[in-house]
Amino acid sequence: MKRTLVRFAFAAVLIAFTAFAQEAVNPALRPPKGAQIAIVVFEDLQCPQCRLQAPLVQQAGKTYKVPVVRHDFPLPMHNWSYQAAVIAHYFDSQSRQLGSDFRDYIFEHQPEIFPTNLRQFAEKFAADRKVDLPFVVDPQGKFAAEVNAERDLGKALNLEHTPTIYVVSSKSKSHPFVEVKDPRAELFQSIDAMKAE
């Protein structure tokens, strides 16, 4: 009887600890509703490494049919990435796909972009897709607030670099997320490991 009570108490503590651990996971490191696994990436549109890794991340998302959740994390040393992120959020407001396409377009043209011609690239992107780009993209500061919120999310995770890429799972109780340090070597392997759990 005493042994059964000890086992029951141990099981209760373990359940409580697991529930606490799940609650302690930052919501940014959870898949979107309806998905069991996702790739979460914090990126800076002016970051050369982000530009290099973006196609691999998109390829992994398509290969495994898992959502890719992109967060803007403009770094202070980059002189046009914050404004590019604000414009990306404007395009997000038109459609998520349009916002994602704009980010990819900016990565494609990143070496050609400067603070003085960013607007021209955004206008060309909009014109090619027959979408209006207002003269003042963010008059109320709504999109800047969204960028700030995503940057704060990254700061809460103690991000140190971009891109920071995670594979996240709603299935795994012991490891609900893993940071992918070397995407070329680890991204597909990390997704396989999450799927296997």
Side-chain angles (χ1 to χ4, degrees):
M1 176 75 174
K2 191 173 186 182
R3 202 176 215 180
T4 303
L5 284 174
V6 169
R7 284 184 184 158
F8 179 75
F10 179 74
V13 168
L14 188 61
I15 290 168
F17 177 76
T18 303
F20 172 76
Q22 287 176 349
E23 288 302 313
V25 174
N26 188 306
L29 299 179
R30 295 185 185 276
K33 193 171 187 169
Q36 291 187 335
I37 295 174
I39 302 167
V40 175
V41 57
F42 286 82
E43 59 192 5
D44 175 309
L45 294 172
Q46 198 173 344
C47 165
Q49 276 303 312
C50 294
R51 176 178 184 245
L52 289 173
Q53 301 300 340
L56 180 67
V57 170
Q58 296 305 319
Q59 180 189 357
K62 286 179 183 161
T63 299
Y64 287 95
K65 296 179 176 53
V66 297
V68 175
V69 181
R70 298 171 91 165
H71 294 289
D72 290 294
F73 192 75
L75 299 169
M77 75 280 272
H78 289 151
N79 58 3
W80 56 261
S81 64
Y82 184 88
Q83 189 57 38
V86 169
I87 297 169
H89 278 258
Y90 165 76
F91 287 120
D92 283 340
S93 74
Q94 306 301 300
S95 87
R96 278 284 178 200
Q97 187 59 53
L98 194 63
S100 186
D101 290 348
F102 177 73
R103 289 173 177 86
D104 293 337
Y105 171 84
I106 292 298
F107 282 143
E108 181 184 338
H109 295 282
Q110 189 188 76
E112 309 159 53
I113 299 175
F114 300 95
T116 53
N117 68 4
L118 173 62
R119 172 75 191 197
Q120 292 169 310
F121 278 91
E123 286 172 352
K124 180 169 179 4
F125 174 85
D128 289 349
R129 287 151 185 83
K130 298 179 177 29
V131 176
D132 287 331
L133 182 67
F135 180 70
V136 179
V137 173
D138 193 19
Q140 281 86 36
K142 173 187 171 197
F143 305 127
E146 291 173 0
V147 173
N148 293 341
E150 289 190 355
R151 189 169 53 191
D152 290 346
L153 205 57
K155 287 179 180 176
L157 295 169
N158 299 314
L159 296 193
E160 297 176 2
H161 57 86
T162 57
T164 300
I165 302 167
Y166 297 96
V167 176
V168 300
S169 172
S170 61
K171 297 186 334 180
S172 176
K173 305 299 181 209
S174 58
H175 298 93
F177 65 90
V178 62
E179 182 180 347
V180 179
K181 305 260 187 192
D182 180 359
R184 296 224 175 269
E186 299 172 5
L187 181 56
F188 285 74
Q189 181 182 352
S190 298
I191 296 170
D192 285 334
M194 282 289 191
K195 286 174 83 71
E197 283 195 17

